[in-house]
Amino acid sequence: MYFSVGPQHPGSGHFRMKITLQGDIILNAEPDPGFVHRSVEKIAETREYLQNVPLIERQCLSDVSSVTLAYAMGIEELLGIEVPPRAQYIRVIMCELSRIMSHLYWLAIFGIFLGHSTMFMWPFGDRDILITETAEKIAGARVSYSYIIPGGVRYDLPDGIKEHTMKTLDYFQGRLKEYDAIFFSNPIFKRRTKGVGVLSRSEAIRLGVTGPTLRGSGVRGDIRKDAPYAAYDELDFEIPVYSEGDSYSRSLVRFREMKISSSIIRQAFENLPEGDFKVKTRKKVPEGEVFSRVEAARGELACYLISDGTRKPYRLKMSTPSFRNLPGFSLMKGCMLADMPPIYMSLDYWPLETDR
Amino acid sequence: MNIINIILDFLNLENFISNIPNAEVQELLTIVFVFLRSDLFFKILLFPGIFTILITVAELMWLELKLIAKVQLRVGPQYAGRIGGILQPIADFIKLLFKETIVPEKASKVLFLLVPIMLVTLAATTLTVIPLSETDVISNLDVGLLFTFAILAMFPILALLAGWASNSKFPFIGGIRALFQQVSYEVPLWFSALGVVILAESLNFNSIIKAQSTFWFILLLPLGAFIFLVAVIAETERLPFDIPEAETEIASGWMAEYSGLSFGLIMLSLYIKLYFGAAMFTALFLGGWLGPSILPPAFWFLTKTIIVVLIIMMLRGVLPRFRLADLLYIGWRRLLILSMINIFLAITVKLVLF
Amino acid sequence: MVVKAMFSGLKHVFKRRMTVKYPNQRLKLTERYRGRHIHDISSCTSCKLCANICPPKAITMVLLVKKPQNEEPPEKPQNEEAPKKKKREEVHPQISYELCIFCGLCVDICPKSSLTMTHSFELSDYDRKNLVYTPEQLSEIPSEEEGRYVTVFTKSGVSHHAD
């Protein structure tokens, strides 16, 4: 029997999967992206470099800072300017905060797909507290705040932000313990995700997946350690790696990343240097091509920029981590229909990012 | 003290009847009015009959919405009714009355519209034998427990019929899953109730409750009580045994094509089944209407039932959903073996204590 | 394990709620929040930088609606000391809130700081034409909305919304 978990379905987001069933076993699961295509890359050719920042941050809406950081790093390399160290540390703080926010969004959607409505409400509530504290106080808006621009950041940190953030992070540690008690140690959750959707180490490298999907299969790959950018080489943190390769280990990777991000933010606030937060840039960018990559919440995000000497870019191409993880849908072959939500959610697929 | 008597006296209809010339019609109407004034009609209509069931079920719906909201750190219903949204379920039901009942084009119309009515009727019929106190029971059958299980066996067929009569893919899958689930959990339910019957030596509800005057059966048979509770949650399709209604996989299962009054009746039948399951648990294991005689026995029965319902609803807030394969595994392999062990334990307790 | 989860859930019944009962209560916004603009007509020099940088082209420059005046405008002097500069036309920004994305780039780039942003975000209307705010409408300061303002953090530390 063939049916499509279509775009208008309470179980999929804006995304279509063509599933062929026989009884209760899935024979074939084919992803069909393209429902939310908004031609961001073409529109970006008609606007100037600074005007593109609100445009491209809306393509990947849950971790906003990583996308603008990749774009800004590419332009700074073409212009040949160097960003002051205070701006580098502030960029690290914003990136880690948006990583926590993206992982909380993932946790909420995972809960509701498994039928656990309490796990849907709690992370959204905590996400609201983090957004209200940081993004609004520092940057001015709540979700899409356009804070990182080529040349540094837009405003300086306000007064009293350090104590505020420390209080919030202490509160957040308590919340993580509650999540552990009610969700990650839940016997039913473990039963549903252990041994489901196993991705072996060689298969993961061959398919080319990135992010927590890769780290859940035993490969130690993280751009923050392999090719450090923006003050990450001065901070001390570890990378969680689990070797089983099933949905449970992928979920645990993301859970531990939230704790590690909190410690990175604390370290960055301790070592924050004084100085400028912005340098002046020119409007005309010299000719050239540049390739820059960052570690977004879902994996590796790369930005390829070709400039022809005018005020507008000639070609902007972004390679998003959800697009790279699409071959992971072949894990669904041979599973039961009830195993489809854990596999789909443990890949952390975000349709807005794939379709751009 | 009978309210119906007072109303009929006020309307003074016997006077009207004696003015009718036809003698047979007069006899017939006299018999009808004798029935209306009797005790049985009062029990069926008001207490513990239809009126009580409807009010209790409406408040159970409100309790669930409020409790789940409190666990999730939100406020539940707050605008309907002056205090905390108590009239919210009644407002929901009135809203459903105004909606259009859409019957799909290729569905079999008679079956489609008949299933909700049968669900509500059967669910309410099972409540006729459960006593709220020693005299407040509609019919004190000597085989009361067997009667309830006979009617419980009808529910899987009705779920399958609802899914099949809709003539559409998702309700069809949901109907078959509902059939699997409800059939496989009836056997542990009956076996753990058998343990109670062995201890009490009767199938009459009142006798079972009176046999618990020294010890409640939950202290003598804890394993049986646990199995009964799990099987009740599975029979009434609540989380974590929520498969036929799984929203995110098959978009609300066998109830998907219903709208308007039919949908309202199906939701009503689900909550009546929940109330019935909790009431059976109270009567069999927690000692029914027994309690200190400061307060009336019906009060003790309702309190214990509400505590059982609260535990069942709390499980909804904290656990995710099972897979179908796990569900059937638990039902047929684990619970069946445990309930057979429970029967041996019941025989041992009976020989030792009584 | 299940019992641990149930106790964790039970603890939350006795905590404070997270809901803000809008519109009786409203969330207190921070100072940097980007809402509706305010334009200061006297300090604007008509440089058109804001219209050039707006990403969705929501700002257009228009002339002010002239009020009928009794007195004549002051005369220009005949001889001027400096070489003649071309006099700039006095235009002011008109913002269409159908297109505005509230990014704040126009506020950053204005050299005289005559555009600032307030906390007002409830701008909906029944007619599309009313969403285009002329410079005179932009110069009115929005009044504060009714309702009790609540915030996320209490004095003693972080908790849920103070109810």
Side-chain angles (χ1 to χ4, degrees), chain A residues 49-123:
Chain A
Y49 284 100
L50 185 59
Q51 290 176 335
N52 269 334
V53 171
L55 175 70
I56 61 168
E57 76 174 354
R58 276 159 172 80
Q59 87 181 16
C60 172
L61 207 47
S62 61
D63 51 347
V64 173
S65 305
S66 317
V67 186
T68 47
L69 184 58
Y71 181 67
M73 268 166 49
I75 295 182
E76 280 150 16
E77 203 172 307
L78 276 181
L79 281 176
I81 58 179
E82 205 180 296
V83 181
R86 185 178 172 91
Q88 302 275 36
Y89 271 81
I90 298 181
R91 280 178 174 184
V92 163
I93 292 175
M94 294 308 281
C95 270
E96 293 304 315
L97 274 169
S98 55
R99 188 185 311 265
I100 296 182
M101 289 203 274
S102 171
H103 282 325
L104 281 177
Y105 195 103
W106 163 80
L107 198 57
I109 306 283
F110 202 0
I112 196 80
F113 271 35
L114 287 186
H116 196 180
S117 52
T118 311
M119 211 51 196
F120 173 65
M121 300 286 178
W122 287 356

Side-chain angles (χ1 to χ4, degrees), chain A residues 233-292:
Chain A
D233 40 6
E234 297 162 23
L235 295 169
D236 177 31
F237 58 99
E238 56 163 8
I239 304 176
V241 172
Y242 289 86
S243 58
E244 287 96 25
D246 53 6
S247 303
Y248 187 60
S249 48
R250 291 196 277 264
S251 316
L252 278 187
V253 164
R254 291 192 178 99
F255 184 63
R256 272 183 68 189
E257 272 188 4
M258 281 201 268
K259 286 191 198 161
I260 293 175
S261 293
S262 318
S263 78
I264 293 181
I265 298 178
R266 271 185 228 262
Q267 281 179 33
F269 264 116
E270 298 294 326
N271 307 339
L272 195 63
E274 305 290 328
D276 289 333
F277 57 91
K278 195 160 68 163
V279 283
K280 265 202 160 322
T281 60
R282 285 165 285 160
K283 290 222 170 168
K284 283 199 182 165
V285 173
E287 275 187 43
E289 314 178 338
V290 70
F291 184 81
S292 58

